């Protein structure tokens, strides 16, 4: 994760107002079937997705016997994300069996592709201690894991989680949500693809949210933004059906305190230590209260020391610490230590050690070794025993209907300020959009839509900058002199919140026309290539 999210994450971008709707929607159903590693019984996991996603549908598993398809007792309910999963204990072995899934959508039956599996009997192992099945096959004899996102799916290629399990991985942290709407949509796409597949292969799964902090200084505004982003994470978890017994907690990926960038990409404004700390305390606290499972904080030591205050509240949450170029195969090595002195932050022990729970020891793992497309993979080790690991996974959360993400929830927009003067200056709008309970919307953005009677001949360039959840500044460049009518429109392409708008007008007068200045052609100096994996562990 670290260093992958660059400053371009803040870059201003034009927005798409809507997505064309198809005249008719065709239902598709996928199914995979896999023997899931188990200590004592042969467990078979069936899982897949329905598109378009719809929750509460019954997916029924059928089996083929002597060329005839017959019903089984296995039924799964689809989640809001469209995923479904069910498991069964196998009672016959070494015989290839065909299966398919079926779903009834408004009276129309849709079948999945047929899958064939041969179940192998497993040796009997005592289940008196369930931690026996959590193999400690990572560096230093510790539990080994990875974290993944869209970067592990080049060209939409799938991850072979069975190979990951066979190679010694026992957990995977999946990017599940992001402050930025475009990155968040990508996260959902691959989360749906990876979550069930990883668990079916025998891996424990956790989640993480990549955070962009708000460009606000007021304490209440910081809390509102952290609350809105926590709501996004809770909705995402609820869309999967909540926490299962094979889910690790949600993690907050907090590694960047820049809240405002210049057009050149340089950071113009950083969040204060107090506000970074308050934001993290709020986000993590809300997740813990809502789900009953203690979330995790991901970061690195320099950030924790330089960007956050020491906090007894934060110290209660497990720390997932990133530090590379230290050999994890030596069991006495540990991250979070300075060559001289010690880091001072919420997880610093009395003897200057770092009280980490998970250590991301490299971003240069050999991806194909673990069944992952591409060349690089973040790898992690768990600090404690197998029993400690299972304690981290303890606790489940089943969302109620009220916990699910709303669909086209009504919104209300207020234009807080607008400015228009001359053609050589930007036309700007500052707007706030709230939900029915007056809290800020969680997703979406704004755009100006010109009245058809006053559309400029040349299309102006619109850019939008998020200040905090539900609050944006919209800038429009290249509007000719004249008076214009139109409306500032809020749209959420995820359809969580409904569209709203405010009508307005403005006048632009002719400003000075800059004289063109000749520009000398400067041949760029080639930059030397940098090996991003220099000194890192390649495991």
């Amino acid at each position: 994760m670290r260093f992958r999210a660059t400053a371009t994450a803040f870059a201003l971008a034009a927005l798409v107002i809507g997505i064309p709707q198809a005249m008719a929607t065709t239902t598709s159903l996928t199914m995979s079937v896999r023997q899931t590693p188990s200590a004592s019984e042969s467990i078979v996991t069936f899982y897949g997705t329905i598109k378009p996603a719809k929750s509460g549908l019954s997916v029924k598993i059928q089996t083929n016997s002597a060329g005839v398809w017959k019903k089984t007792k296995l039924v799964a309910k689809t989640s809001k994300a469209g995923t479904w999963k069910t498991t069964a204990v196998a009672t016959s072995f070494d015989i290839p069996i065909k299966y398919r899934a079926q779903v009834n959508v408004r009276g129309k039956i849709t079948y999945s592709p047929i899958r064939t599996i041969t179940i192998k009997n497993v040796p009997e192992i005592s289940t008196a201690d369930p931690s026996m099945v959590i193999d400690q096959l990572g560096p230093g004899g510790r539990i080994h894991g990875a974290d993944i996102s869209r970067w592990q799916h080049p060209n939409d290629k799938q991850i072979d989680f069975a190979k990951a399990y066979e190679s010694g991985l026992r957990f995977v942290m999946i990017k599940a949500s992001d402050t930025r709407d475009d990155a968040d949509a990508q996260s959902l796409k691959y989360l749906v693809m990876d979550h069930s597949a990883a668990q079916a292969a025998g891996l424990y799964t956790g989640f993480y949210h990549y955070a962009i902090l708000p460009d606000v200084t007021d304490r209440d505004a910081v809390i509102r933004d952290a609350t809105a982003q926590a709501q996004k994470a809770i909705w995402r978890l609820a869309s999967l059906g909540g926490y299962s017994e094979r889910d690790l907690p949600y993690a907050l990926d907090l590694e960047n305190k820049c809240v405002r960038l210049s057009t050149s990409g340089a950071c113009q404004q950083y969040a204060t230590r107090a506000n970074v700390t308050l934001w993290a305390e709020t986000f993590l606290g809300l997740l813990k209260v809502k789900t009953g499972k203690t979330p995790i904080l991901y970061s690195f030591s320099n950030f924790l020391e330089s960007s956050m205050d020491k906090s007894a509240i934060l110290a209660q949450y497990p720390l997932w610490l990133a530090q590379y170029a230290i050999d994890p195969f030596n069991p006495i090595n540990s991250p979070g230590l300075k060559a001289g002195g010690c880091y001072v932050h919420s997880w610093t022990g009395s003897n200057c050690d770092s009280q980490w729970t998970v250590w991301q020891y490299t971003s240069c793992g050999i991806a194909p070794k673990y069944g992952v497309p591409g060349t690089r993979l973040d790898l992690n080790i768990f600090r404690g025993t197998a029993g400690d690991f299972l304690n981290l996974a303890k606790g489940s959360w089943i969302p109620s209907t009220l916990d699910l993400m709303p669909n086209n929830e009504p919104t209300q927009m207020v234009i807080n300020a607008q400015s228009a003067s001359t053609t050589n200056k930007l036309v700007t709008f500052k707007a706030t959009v709230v939900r029915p309970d007056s809290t800020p919307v969680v997703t979406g953005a704004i755009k100006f839509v010109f009245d058809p009677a006053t559309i400029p001949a040349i299309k102006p360039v619109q850019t939008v900058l998020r200040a905090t959840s539900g609050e944006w500044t919209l800038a429009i460049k290249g509007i000719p002199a004249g008076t214009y009518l139109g409306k500032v429109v809020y749209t959420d392409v995820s359809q969580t919140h409904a569209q709203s708008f405010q009508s307005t007008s403005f006048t632009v007068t002719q400003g000075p026309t800059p004289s063109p200045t000749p520009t000398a052609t400067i041949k760029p100096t080639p930059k030397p290539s940098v090996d991003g994996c220099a000194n890192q562990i390649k495991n």
Side-chain angles (χ1 to χ4, degrees):
M1 284 180 286
R2 189 180 170 199
F3 311 128
R4 295 266 175 90
T6 63
T8 56
F10 294 92
L12 301 178
L15 297 178
V16 178
I17 284 297
I19 299 176
Q21 300 295 314
M23 294 300 292
T25 302
T26 303
T27 298
S28 65
L29 181 67
T30 68
M31 184 191 76
S32 297
V33 57
R34 176 168 290 169
Q35 184 171 357
T36 300
S38 172
S40 61
E41 297 178 304
S42 295
I43 303 297
V44 186
T45 302
F46 301 83
Y47 62 97
T49 59
I50 184 171
K51 293 183 179 180
K54 185 174 178 60
S55 64
L57 295 176
S58 294
V59 178
K60 300 177 180 180
I61 306 301
Q62 297 181 335
T63 185
N64 190 286
S65 177
V68 178
W69 287 102
K70 297 182 179 180
K71 296 179 181 179
T72 71
K73 295 181 179 180
L74 298 177
V75 179
K77 291 289 186 181
T78 58
S79 70
K80 188 156 188 177
T83 59
W84 62 270
K85 184 177 70 172
T86 186
T87 60
V89 177
T91 55
S92 63
F93 309 97
D94 301 322
I95 300 173
I97 305 292
K98 293 180 180 179
Y99 294 97
R100 71 180 183 185
Q102 89 169 44
V103 66
N104 185 327
V105 181
R106 297 190 181 93
K108 182 178 180 181
I109 302 295
T110 298
Y111 294 99
S112 73
I114 298 169
R115 299 287 182 247
T116 302
I117 187 171
T118 301
I119 308 300
K120 300 297 182 181
N121 207 348
V122 297
E124 185 175 346
I125 301 175
S126 170
T127 57
D129 182 5
S131 66
M132 290 180 61
V133 300
I134 310 298
D135 306 296
Q136 295 171 277
L137 303 175
R142 289 172 282 204
I143 299 169
H144 207 196
D147 56 271
I148 57 174
S149 65
R150 68 184 180 92
W151 301 108
Q152 279 66 55
H153 291 278
N155 300 317
D156 275 351
K157 292 181 180 179
Q158 295 189 11
I159 295 172
D160 184 349
F161 288 105
K163 186 173 182 179
Y165 185 92
E166 292 165 3
S167 300
L169 297 187
R170 289 299 177 265
F171 70 94
V172 60
M173 302 296 289
I174 307 171
K175 183 176 180 183
S177 50
D178 193 298
T179 302
R180 303 155 296 179
D181 286 350
D182 54 347
D184 187 66
Q186 291 270 14
S187 299
L188 175 59
K189 174 182 177 180
Y190 294 111
L191 171 67
V192 169
M193 183 183 296
D194 293 336
H195 181 239
S196 294
Q199 289 195 359
L203 298 170
Y204 282 77
T205 53
F207 316 91
Y208 70 90
H209 173 86
Y210 184 84
I212 302 293
L213 298 177
D215 188 6
V216 292
T217 56
D218 177 69
R219 177 183 174 86
D220 289 341
V222 171
I223 291 174
R224 282 195 299 272
D225 184 77
T227 301
Q229 291 202 43
Q231 181 64 73
K232 178 182 278 190
I234 291 166
W235 279 341
R236 186 56 42 79
L237 183 59
S239 77
L240 298 175
Y243 279 131
S244 74
E245 68 279 358
R246 296 193 69 87
D247 281 323
L248 300 172
Y250 225 109
L252 168 61
D253 180 353
L254 186 55
E255 52 183 293
N256 191 338
K257 65 176 180 179
C258 183
V259 298
R260 189 188 311 157
L261 287 176
S262 68
T263 54
S264 66
C267 188
Q268 292 182 316
Q269 185 69 40
Y270 293 96
T272 64
R273 296 170 66 102
N275 283 343
V276 176
T277 306
L278 174 63
W279 197 99
E281 290 174 347
T282 303
F283 182 99
L284 293 168
L286 287 168
L287 253 68
K288 182 176 181 179
V289 169
K290 185 62 183 178
T291 66
K293 187 175 285 193
T294 302
I296 299 170
L297 180 77
Y298 168 93
S299 197
F300 56 101
S301 294
N302 283 331
F303 185 88
L304 296 173
E305 182 181 61
S306 64
S307 303
M308 302 178 74
D309 293 329
K310 286 189 67 177
S311 165
I313 294 174
L314 289 180
Q316 300 173 27
Y317 298 99
L319 176 63
W320 178 8
L321 194 63
Q323 187 167 349
Y324 311 146
I326 301 175
D327 185 4
F329 288 90
N330 186 334
I332 66 171
N333 281 351
S334 183
L337 303 177
K338 280 184 178 179
C342 72
Y343 289 106
V344 178
H345 54 67
S346 303
W347 291 267
T348 302
S350 58
N351 59 347
C352 274
D353 65 333
S354 183
Q355 303 298 314
W356 58 275
T357 299
V358 180
W359 172 14
Q360 186 186 76
Y361 67 87
T362 185
S363 66
C364 295
I366 304 169
K369 173 181 174 181
Y370 302 98
V372 176
T375 57
R376 295 175 57 173
L377 177 67
D378 294 343
L379 294 174
N380 306 269
I381 51 177
F382 179 77
R383 182 174 188 167
T385 65
D388 295 331
F389 180 85
L390 288 173
N391 285 335
L392 197 64
K394 270 185 180 177
S396 59
W397 174 62
I398 300 175
S400 68
T401 303
L402 294 177
D403 296 317
L404 296 174
M405 181 180 289
N407 184 44
N408 281 323
E409 176 185 67
T411 63
Q412 182 177 358
M413 172 189 287
V414 175
I415 297 176
N416 302 314
Q418 70 179 68
S419 173
S421 55
T422 55
T423 54
N424 60 316
K425 294 184 179 180
L426 298 173
V427 174
T428 62
F429 298 91
K430 291 186 178 181
T432 300
V433 183
V434 296
R435 303 172 61 193
D437 61 0
S438 297
T439 60
V441 293
V442 177
T443 59
I446 61 174
K447 183 178 181 178
F448 189 83
V449 177
F450 288 90
D451 184 279
T454 61
I455 296 177
I458 300 176
K459 186 177 181 179
V461 176
Q462 300 194 33
T463 55
V464 66
L465 181 66
R466 172 188 177 273
T468 183
S469 294
E471 185 176 324
W472 300 270
T473 297
L474 175 65
I476 311 176
K477 181 180 180 180
I479 298 181
T483 297
Y484 297 90
L485 304 175
K487 52 190 177 183
V488 178
V489 178
Y490 162 77
T491 301
D492 175 14
V493 295
S494 76
Q495 298 183 353
T496 302
H497 308 297
Q499 188 179 89
S500 57
F501 64 89
Q502 282 288 307
S503 297
T504 187
S505 62
F506 59 90
T507 299
V508 176
T509 59
Q510 184 61 48
T513 303
S515 302
T517 56
T519 56
T521 302
I522 301 175
K523 190 174 182 179
T525 303
K527 295 182 179 179
S529 60
V530 177
D531 181 5
C533 290
N535 302 320
Q536 286 208 45
I537 303 297
K538 300 176 181 65
N539 182 23

